[in-house]
Amino acid sequence: MSWTDERIEQLKGMWEKGMTASQIADELGGVSRNAVIGKAHRLGLQSRPSPVKATDVPRKKPVTARPEAESDTTPEPAAAAPVAPSAPEPAHAAPAEPAPALDAPAPTAPPAPRIVSVGPGGFLRQGPGDQQAPIPPAPPRRLVPAKPSPEIADKTSLLDLTEKICKWPMGHPGEPDFHFCGEKVNPGFPYCVEHCGRAYQAQLPRGTRRPPPPLPFGGPRVR
DNA sequence: CCCTGATTCGC
DNA sequence: GCGAATCAGG
């Protein structure tokens, strides 16, 4: 399997959405987890929250270097550049939703999002006033043509989307019957109540394949 | 053990 | 450029 433009695109998207390399490899099919990671690096995508990068590892383990008979007498004590304390990541801005413009850097007070409570799926619920799309936008996964809806006559097209109607995709982009849910949204969210329930589930670790809460239309593509 | 991402290096 | 092998950590 080769890295076509489309597959690279998918990789990028999934990687940025926070999917694990395994999930991505799974989804793309025909590639291993390592392949995905390797490709991601080659693409310049880099290390988002890696669970394994907690401690600073100076990368001192050349696998094939065989440093056995290494008589290297230079532990280079102060040779390394004094690492300047890197500026901590500012709040991970989540430009998820419509909100256009509004570029007020607010250099003085970067207010932390006011978390009011935690929703059932683990997503953060915020006050009705300052509601914004929760952290990672919905991860509608790849869908498979399970059953073409017969009532696509009055379908909701891309042009019909507003902040008030559910943007849950129905079908596949590019296909003639692709449309959107079109229901009334759960205020503050891009989806209706029902699809919010699907969209904002905590990313299940991994052992939990998603059989119980069935995906919109069939689940990952099978190969 | 399972998982994760990172890195290396032969192809 | 690709990805298996390997490493390192949770």
Side-chain angles (χ1 to χ4, degrees):
Chain A
M1 200 53 102
S2 58
W3 285 107
T4 64
D5 281 3
E6 184 188 339
R7 289 163 63 78
I8 290 178
E9 193 98 359
Q10 294 175 9
L11 165 58
K12 283 183 183 173
M14 295 178 189
W15 186 268
E16 283 160 14
K17 275 181 184 170
M19 292 177 60
T20 68
S22 295
Q23 289 175 318
I24 297 173
D26 226 42
E27 209 94 354
L28 287 176
V31 288
S32 67
R33 180 182 71 93
N34 278 329
V36 168
I37 293 177
K39 184 59 181 175
H41 281 208
R42 263 173 257 125
L43 284 172
L45 307 176
Q46 77 250 70
S47 68
R48 39 196 182 117
S50 158
V52 82
K53 266 298 194 178
T55 58
D56 182 13
V57 177
R59 275 296 74 81
K60 40 100 191 193
K61 247 286 187 170
V63 182
T64 48
R66 262 82 232 206
E68 317 308 313
E70 192 97 13
S71 54
D72 182 46
T73 56
T74 312
E76 46 181 281
V83 180
S86 56
E89 283 295 326
H92 182 267
E97 268 317 279
L102 277 179
D103 288 282
T108 50
R114 188 164 59 82
I115 299 167
V116 173
S117 65
V118 178
F123 64 93
L124 302 181
R125 214 190 279 283
Q126 294 176 302
D130 48 34
Q131 249 184 8
Q132 45 190 260
I135 339 91
R141 314 187 63 116
R142 283 288 295 253
L143 308 175
V144 82
K147 40 183 178 185
S149 302
E151 57 279 308
I152 51 176
D154 51 347
K155 62 182 179 184
T156 301
S157 81
L158 179 61
L159 299 178
D160 299 324
L161 293 180
T162 75
E163 284 91 349
K164 296 189 180 307
I165 73 172
C166 178
K167 302 174 184 61
W168 190 265
M170 316 279 275
H172 297 87
E175 288 181 6
D177 62 331
F178 175 68
H179 60 290
F180 297 91
C181 167
E183 257 294 342
K184 236 180 48 182
V185 296
N186 187 8
F189 296 93
Y191 307 117
C192 66
V193 175
E194 176 189 344
H195 287 138
C196 271
R198 295 179 180 268
Y200 299 116
Q201 292 179 31
Q203 285 233 346
L204 303 177
R206 185 167 168 76
T208 319
R209 283 295 148 195
R210 43 273 175 186
L215 294 174
F217 309 99
R221 205 172 290 256
V222 259
R223 287 186 169 80

